[in-house]
Amino acid sequence: MENKEITIADLGLLKKIIDLASTRGAFRAAEMKEVGEVYDKLTAFLEAVVAQAKAQEETVASNTGE
């Protein structure tokens, strides 16, 4: 069975695709607001996930004495 889950890596790739598509003029001017809003939400989500992962790593490291 094929994996149908979306991973954090997939979301990062989607962010790159949006950036590339906008650079190449794939969106109309009237669409740019919505595209930008989704891009900003995706960026904020990915930054939050990275921050959470770092915090968990630090917690584990402090609990194990590393």
Side-chain angles (χ1 to χ4, degrees):
M1 186 171 160
E2 186 177 325
N3 184 359
K4 295 184 181 185
E5 294 180 7
I6 294 177
T7 66
I8 297 301
D10 294 332
L11 295 177
L13 182 57
L14 182 57
K15 180 182 169 194
K16 289 179 184 179
I17 291 168
I18 292 170
D19 186 45
L20 181 62
S22 66
T23 301
R24 293 184 179 174
F27 305 108
R28 293 187 178 111
E31 299 167 331
M32 289 306 294
K33 181 179 179 188
E34 288 88 7
V35 171
E37 288 172 351
V38 170
Y39 182 85
D40 289 344
K41 285 180 182 180
L42 182 56
T43 299
F45 176 79
L46 290 170
E47 288 172 354
V49 168
V50 168
Q52 183 179 18
K54 285 183 181 178
Q56 287 177 346
E57 287 176 8
E58 290 172 1
T59 300
V60 169
S62 67
N63 289 339
T64 59
E66 290 181 17

